[in-house]
Structure formats: structure tokens, C-alpha cells
Amino acid sequence: MRVFHSPLHARHDGGVELHRGQLVPCFEMPARADYIARALRDVGHAFVEAAEHDDSRLARVHDAAFVDFLRTAHARWREEGRDGSMLPSGFPARSLRRDRVPAGINGAMGYYAFDAGTPIVGGTWTAARASAHCALSAAEDVLSGSTAAYALCRPPGHHAARSAYGGYCFLNNAAIAAQRLRDGGVERVAVLDVDYHHGNGTQDIFWTRGDVLTVSIHGTPETEYPWFLGFDDETGEGDGAGGNLNLPLPRGTDWTAYTAALETALAAIRRFQAGALVVSLGVDTFEGDPISAFRLGADRFPQIGARIAALGLPTVLVQEGGYAVAEIGLNVAGVLGAFTEAR
């Protein structure tokens, strides 16, 4: 399986985030991608640097004004005499207006962000754009006839909505890949999100569309981030009615309960009769992850890879979360190795 990557991912190094009321070093760090790359090279995966793509591909799933905000945010921040990490200090919550984007950078940041845990720094746009290019390159590899391709995306993407960023995510790499598959002629695409946290951004982007099925297995939003989406009664609207499946699970979920949810997800994808699959591959379901609470051992990730491969679909695997940095490479390699062997 080809691994599409970019060294530009390291340009985004957020520094600190607000986590449960405290400023702490970012859990989403450049070392995550480095550990994954090392583990995949050790087992012989072929590495390909992502190609350059036109930004019009980003606007296929994101609002153009939002993309422009991300492109210019840190420069505007510096124009006010500041540097370092940008974190918002206010949000358009209930009773506040949401129909106007403030002209100043502080207000604009709060308008487009939905948390204070996703800092923007000088290299964020470069890294986020390169991450999207990894997903686009992997999608084009599959369109060209490859059975599967893996995008080593960093920063991750599944929390980024049509016009909002958060959860360490700026551009929705999985949605960008799914749209590229559609634009390349695949009539029906399924997105399977196995990250510990709900793929709220992907759900938002495809909420009213019937051509892309979105399925997410995740920690229940009753107690887990992002809290305000991911419940099982969210099924889509309009042409997308019935096209969104959420499978929330409680803290402490073990392999028995997880695999039951995975089989439900796979059955839904089979019924949808997708022509291709995008996997939002988060490995923060690992029992040692510092910001998650499932109990999956490292030996379970190959089983996840094999079960997904059994769908028999052309597949783009897009890297999302996983914050047990020392183990992240082992767990990703486990998924990809078993997927490849099963094919």
C-alpha cells in the first residue's frame, strides 16, 4: 500500500492548548506523524510525497470564506503585533449573533473556531493544506486503480466542518478525499470513522447529501468530546435523510462491544452499496491513549483492518487521531498490515 505524506506537516506545532481548564502542551504534535512513518517504513510500505493540488478542491467541501480565514489568520494576528499560538477567547453561543463575522481577528477566530484546544501558528495553513494534499493524492491513487492507499495526514481533519475548525482539525481531509472520489466518477462513497471522537465535521459536510454515507463509531457525546454532536438520533436531512449513522459507545468500551458496533457499521456500508470507501483512521481507541477511554489493546487493530478490508471496496485510509505517541506507529501499522494481507 502506498503511503502519501508531506514533510510540511511539521510546520504546524501548536505549542499549548486549553484542555479541561488548563493550558497544557498540545497532545497533537509533529512526533505523531514521525512515529507512524518510522513504523510503516520498517514493514516496507512505499512512501510517496503528496502532489500539489489546486485550492479549488478544498472549496468543494468547505466554505470559501472559511478557507480564506485559515489562509490569512496568522498574518492578521501578526499585523496586530502578536506572534505565537492563536487561541480564541469568545464564541457565538446561544443568545449571541451568528450571522456576522467580526472584522477583527479575535472575533473572527472565535466565530470560526468551536474550541480553545486548536491553536493556529505561523505554519498551520501550510501544514493543513499539505495534509489535505495527502488525502487528495491518496484518493487519486485509488481512482487510478489502486486497491487502497493511505494518507498520513497531519494535522487531522474529521472535526473540521464546512465553516468551522476545532479538535486539532482545520481542513476535513476525509471529506476532501470522499469528494475527490465523487468528482472522479464514483457514484456512492461511504465514510467510516473509527476515531474515538465523533466525526462531527464530516457529518456536517454531508448532512444533506444522499451520495455519501457517513458512519461514526465513537465515545458517547454524553461525556466525550465534541459533546454537542454524535448522538444516535442524528440521521441526516433532505436528500441525506438516513445517510448518517452514529454509533456512540460508553467510556470503558471493550473489544466485545466495539466489534458489535463495527459489524453494524460495516453492514450499513454494504447496504448502501458504495463504490468506494474512505476510512477516518483514528487509533485513539487504544487502551493507553491519554485523552480517550476505550479499552482496545494493540492486538485489536489488525482485526479492525481485516474486517474493513473484507468489504472489498477501493479504500482511502486517512489518518486522524491517536495520542499515545510511542504506540501510534504500531497501531497504525497493525491496521494497514492486516488490511493489505486480507486483500
Side-chain angles (χ1 to χ4, degrees), residues 1 7 9-10 34 47 54 81 87 95 110 129 138 144 146 166 168 181 192 200 212 220 266 286 324 327:
M1 185 186 303
H9 81 86
D34 298 336
F47 275 66
D54 191 271
L87 290 173
S95 82
R129 185 171 179 269
S144 296
S146 292
Y168 311 142
L181 293 171
L192 172 62
N200 61 287
V212 179
T220 175
L266 298 176
F286 175 57
E327 294 86 4

Side-chain angles (χ1 to χ4, degrees), residues 244-325:
N244 187 82
L245 174 62
N246 287 328
L247 298 166
L249 298 169
R251 294 174 66 87
T253 288
D254 61 11
W255 175 247
T256 300
Y258 185 87
T259 192
L262 180 58
E263 289 304 319
T264 298
L266 298 176
I269 293 168
R270 292 187 184 98
R271 287 194 300 272
F272 183 69
Q273 297 182 327
L277 174 69
V278 175
V279 179
S280 274
L281 180 57
V283 293
D284 45 359
T285 51
F286 175 57
E287 61 190 356
D289 196 274
I291 59 172
S292 305
F294 283 175
R295 299 205 309 266
L296 303 191
D299 59 324
R300 299 306 187 183
F301 291 97
Q303 296 179 54
I304 292 172
R307 287 170 188 250
I308 295 172
L311 288 171
L313 292 172
T315 302
V316 179
L317 299 108
V318 175
Q319 188 59 47
E320 303 286 3
Y323 307 100
V325 176

Side-chain angles (χ1 to χ4, degrees), residues 62-108:
H62 289 293
D63 180 74
F66 169 64
V67 173
D68 188 60
F69 165 80
L70 292 176
R71 183 187 296 110
T72 60
H74 203 264
R76 293 170 62 190
W77 180 256
R78 289 197 304 270
E79 286 172 1
E80 295 197 356
R82 306 178 186 184
D83 205 351
S85 301
M86 296 172 59
L87 290 173
S89 55
F91 305 92
R94 289 178 301 279
S95 82
L96 300 179
R97 290 185 65 171
R98 303 184 189 187
D99 61 327
R100 296 189 61 166
V101 183
I105 185 58
N106 289 286

